[in-house]
Amino acid sequence: MLGHICGAAIALAFLSAPALSQAIEHAYTKFDSKTCRHTKGRDVEDYGSWLCAGYAGLRVQLSAVDQRMTVAFGPTKKTDLAQSQTLPGFNDIYEGTVEWRIEKSADGKLRPFATILRWNVMTPQDRDKATGPTKATGRVLVVTRLGPGGSCHVGYVSTRQPGCQ
């Protein structure tokens, strides 16, 4: 838990710096791909995509190919980088809790401007295990910017840094 707080604090310090004069709120939503709408993939190693409920009508959109996943939020466009951004090693996020960072716009409406989501990643120790299925034991917080031009990753924080566990 402390790793989440420490990592999130570091990421948000950089992400929210321009908005320090505004009140920043947050909300949490959970998702589990088993309960989301699934579209099967077309190719080998294409596991498909999932649409899950998010915050205030914004969706959490998962996709998985070759043991790597991507996550995008809200309505997506072809220019939405998050649809193609993943981590270098095998990873998964079939279920999780999204922290939505929210600001009040000039017209008084609440608008999510970022998310924080913990991804599971394979570590070198996971890969070195003998045989059979292995479980990813690494964790990375991915900070994603949400905006009119789409969503994209803006920060990565390992939750296993010394002194921050």
Side-chain angles (χ1 to χ4, degrees):
M1 183 67 173
L2 184 56
H4 294 282
I5 294 169
C6 188
I10 292 167
L12 289 175
F14 292 108
L15 183 63
S16 64
L20 288 177
S21 63
Q22 299 175 1
I24 304 295
E25 299 182 25
H26 64 272
Y28 296 94
T29 60
K30 292 182 181 234
F31 67 89
D32 183 342
S33 63
K34 294 175 188 164
T35 63
C36 301
R37 188 173 67 189
H38 180 244
T39 302
K40 290 184 180 184
R42 296 181 183 166
D43 299 319
V44 175
E45 294 286 327
D46 179 357
Y47 313 119
S49 60
W50 295 260
L51 284 177
C52 307
Y55 171 78
L58 296 177
R59 295 182 192 166
V60 177
Q61 302 173 38
L62 312 171
S63 65
V65 175
D66 190 29
Q67 298 185 48
R68 290 169 181 84
M69 295 189 76
T70 63
V71 181
F73 301 93
T76 57
K77 302 175 182 175
K78 290 186 180 201
T79 58
D80 191 349
L81 293 176
Q83 291 182 96
S84 61
Q85 292 177 306
T86 190
L87 301 173
F90 294 155
N91 60 73
D92 73 77
I93 34 180
Y94 287 105
E95 63 181 283
T97 301
V98 179
E99 179 177 348
W100 301 83
R101 301 301 292 180
I102 305 161
E103 64 185 353
K104 190 177 277 191
S105 63
D107 62 1
K109 293 183 181 177
L110 296 178
R111 183 186 72 82
F113 66 92
T115 63
I116 303 171
L117 178 61
R118 185 180 70 184
W119 292 38
N120 304 309
V121 295
M122 295 292 277
T123 66
Q125 293 80 15
D126 296 334
R127 289 189 302 270
D128 291 342
K129 289 182 182 173
T131 59
T134 58
K135 185 173 173 89
T137 63
R139 304 291 180 264
V140 174
L141 294 176
V142 176
V143 180
T144 303
R145 179 191 65 83
L146 309 178
S151 57
C152 64
H153 295 182
V154 294
Y156 304 96
V157 181
S158 171
T159 62
R160 298 208 173 193
Q161 294 296 322
C164 201
Q165 296 185 19

